Amino acid sequence: MAYKIKKDPVELIPKGQLVFWILVRISLIICAVYSFVHGDLVMGFESVFCFIFTHLWDMFQIFGNGSFIEEVPPLSQTMLNIIIFTGIVIGSYFGVFDNTVWFDNIMHILSGVVCAVFGYDFACIIQRKKGQCAATLAAIFSLMFALSIAVGWEFYEFLMDTLHGTNLQLSKAGDETAIFDLSKYSNEYGRLGLVDTMTDMMMNAVGGIIGMIFMIVLRNRKKKKK
């Protein structure tokens, strides 16, 4: 079968969600331009990459060529866009991450929920040709998917800190660590960085469990209605 590039089926996106997608994309363009103008290459490129990620669903539809990836619902993109907007625009550009200790934990919990929700549906989509996916298998996959994304994010933070000199893992003195009482971490930035990384992982796990339970309840309700 010849490979086909389809037209983006924007009519499948609920209008309210589509408007939100557009607003998020415009915000990220503004953030990227602002960052590059002020010489902040890290945030500039991060905004560009996140802008690309706001088009994942569209790319699935255009380049999917009839594969299972086309069945990913628009809601998954909407939830991803919520994380991107909250984390990049509100968290980074408005300085909430630097001024509010608990905001990072909220973001990791939210990320875990969204990843688990996506992972649950993704497992069902992958198994569609072999019959209905067992709820237990989908639930386990959704939780593991959420944890895998969390690991990938910590890889990203470590590499940025190592290669570009950022302080995403809070392992050295800087504006990012000014709001912490270092005496609670044996007066060691390394200890603070370790606690931050492990707390992020645990918050993602909590979010993953919440998302997994939510999807089990949601899908069971839909089955009963049928």
Side-chain angles (χ1 to χ4, degrees), residues 8-22 24-25 53-61 68-84 114 117-118 121-122 125 219 222:
D8 191 1
V10 292
E11 67 277 359
L12 299 179
I13 309 170
K15 290 184 179 179
Q17 295 184 45
L18 179 59
V19 170
F20 176 66
W21 292 15
I22 295 173
V24 172
R25 291 166 181 172
F53 277 117
T54 64
H55 291 79
L56 278 181
W57 185 86
D58 306 86
M59 290 187 284
F60 290 164
Q61 302 302 313
F68 66 87
I69 203 71
E70 293 183 7
E71 297 180 32
V72 173
L75 181 60
S76 295
Q77 181 69 70
T78 300
M79 297 182 73
L80 177 60
N81 288 353
I82 290 174
I83 291 182
I84 291 174
V114 172
V117 169
F118 176 82
D121 278 338
F122 197 54
I125 291 171
R219 295 311 178 208
K222 288 188 176 181

Side-chain angles (χ1 to χ4, degrees), residues 105-117:
N105 291 337
I106 295 298
M107 281 302 303
H108 279 281
I109 292 175
L110 180 60
S111 174
V113 172
V114 172
C115 290
V117 169

